[in-house]
Amino acid sequence: MPAEDSIGLPELDWWHVAQSSVFVIIAALISFCMGTRLELSLIISGVRCVVQLTMMGYVLDDVLNSNNAGIVMLMTLVLILLGAYETTFNRAKKTFKGMFVTMLVILLVSNVFIAFLGSAFALKEKPFWSPPKFIPIVGMLLGNTMGSIAMATEQCLDNLSLNEPILETRLSFGATRFEAAKPLAIEAIRMSMLPIITQLSVMGLINIPGMMTGQIMAGTPMMEAVIYQQCIMFMIAASSALGVVMAVFSCLMVLIDKHHSLQSEKIQDKLPIIRMKTIIDLSHTVSSTIGPQACFSKCRRPGRRQEPAYEEVELR
């Protein structure tokens, strides 16, 4: 029976992590059997989850115990840089030139601004950058905002590329870039905000959020945990809305220039860094280099007499 810590929770170790990884392996096997081609992504994401959380645990242990505003802001900047990279190169299926810098600015403005307002005024933290509160808040905002921004960017780029003739016609009749693309932009914003709206509507009725669960398990009074979670959810909704609007606006600014000309050639399909075809080709190369057949051919003696090869010839 596992030992318990000071608040009565069982102490877990790496063996428990290995046991829980069976669930990811089962999901990967189901994906492989159904031919959805998600098994590689599931396994890579699981490994990334373990490595990244372990590294964050070692780093945050020192950061959260510090009382230095510079260290907190540096950690916030690192989180936003990683979030911009993840949104640009892993989550978005379509990209454009300069998208990483655009995502970096959007995440910086939408998350840090809302985190500052929420921490200083809604949660009454003094100072507002208190490490045990500010860094987890930024992390929660980033985790939810990234998905909404990636969805908004992809939806906007898809709408612009699919409706290129309609946009060209509107622009040729004198419409500005915002007038021509307004219906498409509204549709992208609506689709991207649906997950956040759904999350707000089921909060407490169907879904019990992780932060509230952690506070309750740590011994925080129930109503205090509830109020905290409500403030956090409203901050998530605000940062997601701000980030989605900025992402759609940025797409319009990049793809429709100041001369009101559509630049659809700037849209690029993002290819995955690791593809199944690459792994299959690599395995074939390795097997042909160090496989049994290759070893057998290398072990043949050079002076050994070779049997003549005959070809069958059809006589007419």
Side-chain angles (χ1 to χ4, degrees), residues 161-183:
S161 59
L162 292 175
N163 296 276
E164 182 178 354
I166 299 176
L167 289 173
E168 291 283 4
T169 303
R170 291 174 180 171
L171 293 171
S172 64
F173 277 94
T176 63
R177 51 184 166 184
F178 300 112
E179 292 173 344
K182 182 178 178 181

Side-chain angles (χ1 to χ4, degrees), residues 12-311:
L12 305 179
D13 54 22
W14 292 109
W15 173 242
H16 297 89
V17 177
Q19 289 178 329
S20 62
S21 66
V22 174
F23 300 116
V24 179
I25 296 174
I26 292 174
L29 289 175
I30 294 173
S31 172
F32 178 77
C33 294
M34 296 183 64
T36 58
R37 298 182 181 179
L38 293 175
E39 55 274 7
L40 183 62
S41 299
L42 280 169
I43 294 174
I44 292 176
S45 299
V47 173
R48 284 186 57 186
C49 176
V50 173
V51 174
Q52 291 167 182
L53 282 176
T54 303
M55 292 174 60
M56 180 171 287
Y58 286 119
V59 173
L60 286 185
D61 192 28
D62 296 329
V63 174
L64 295 182
N65 292 326
S66 68
N67 196 28
N68 190 318
I71 295 177
V72 173
M73 293 300 110
L74 179 62
M75 188 66 194
T76 302
L77 182 60
V78 170
L79 291 176
I80 292 174
L81 279 169
L82 295 175
Y85 178 86
E86 179 73 18
T87 304
T88 304
F89 298 105
N90 290 332
R91 295 203 178 188
K93 294 181 180 179
K94 292 182 180 293
T95 61
F96 54 84
K97 187 177 180 180
M99 184 173 172
F100 175 76
V101 178
T102 303
M103 292 296 110
L104 179 63
V105 174
I106 291 173
L107 290 175
L108 184 64
V109 173
S110 62
N111 287 275
V112 175
F113 179 64
I114 298 298
F116 162 71
L117 292 179
S119 180
F121 298 103
L123 302 179
K124 301 295 183 182
E125 286 294 328
K126 294 183 180 179
F128 77 90
W129 47 265
S130 175
K133 299 293 177 62
F134 189 78
I135 292 179
I137 287 173
V138 171
M140 284 185 288
L141 295 183
L142 270 174
N144 290 272
T145 307
M146 283 165 50
S148 299
I149 291 176
M151 186 183 298
T153 304
E154 182 180 348
Q155 187 74 22
C156 187
L157 295 179
D158 283 338
N159 289 344
L160 291 177
S161 59
L162 292 175
N163 296 276
E164 182 178 354
I166 299 176
L167 289 173
E168 291 283 4
T169 303
R170 291 174 180 171
L171 293 171
S172 64
F173 277 94
T176 63
R177 51 184 166 184
F178 300 112
E179 292 173 344
K182 182 178 178 181
L184 305 178
I186 291 176
E187 182 64 21
I189 293 173
R190 287 173 58 88
M191 292 294 295
S192 305
M193 289 301 297
L194 275 178
I196 299 299
I197 295 173
T198 304
Q199 191 175 358
L200 283 173
S201 63
V202 302
M203 189 64 60
L205 180 65
I206 301 173
N207 179 27
I208 300 178
M211 176 185 174
M212 180 178 167
T213 304
Q215 286 184 313
I216 294 172
M217 294 172 66
T220 305
M222 178 66 70
M223 291 311 299
E224 183 178 344
V226 168
I227 293 173
Y228 236 94
Q229 186 62 50
Q230 291 170 351
C231 295
I232 294 297
M233 287 307 303
F234 294 152
M235 292 166 63
I236 289 174
S239 63
S240 297
L242 181 59
V244 163
V245 171
M246 291 179 65
V248 173
F249 183 82
S250 300
C251 290
L252 297 183
M253 293 288 292
V254 170
L255 299 177
I256 305 178
D257 60 20
K258 61 182 179 180
H259 302 294
H260 308 293
S261 176
L262 182 61
Q263 307 291 328
S264 59
E265 67 275 2
K266 293 183 178 181
I267 302 176
Q268 303 172 356
D269 290 326
K270 182 184 74 65
L271 296 176
I273 298 176
I274 300 177
R275 290 179 287 178
M276 185 62 70
K277 184 178 181 299
T278 305
I279 296 178
I280 294 174
D281 294 342
L282 181 62
S283 64
H284 288 166
T285 304
V286 172
S287 62
S288 62
T289 305
I290 61 175
Q293 186 176 359
C295 294
F296 178 75
S297 62
K298 289 179 181 179
C299 292
R300 278 202 222 168
R301 289 176 296 179
R304 186 175 178 181
R305 181 175 176 272
Q306 301 289 334
E307 294 294 334
Y310 297 97
E311 295 182 2

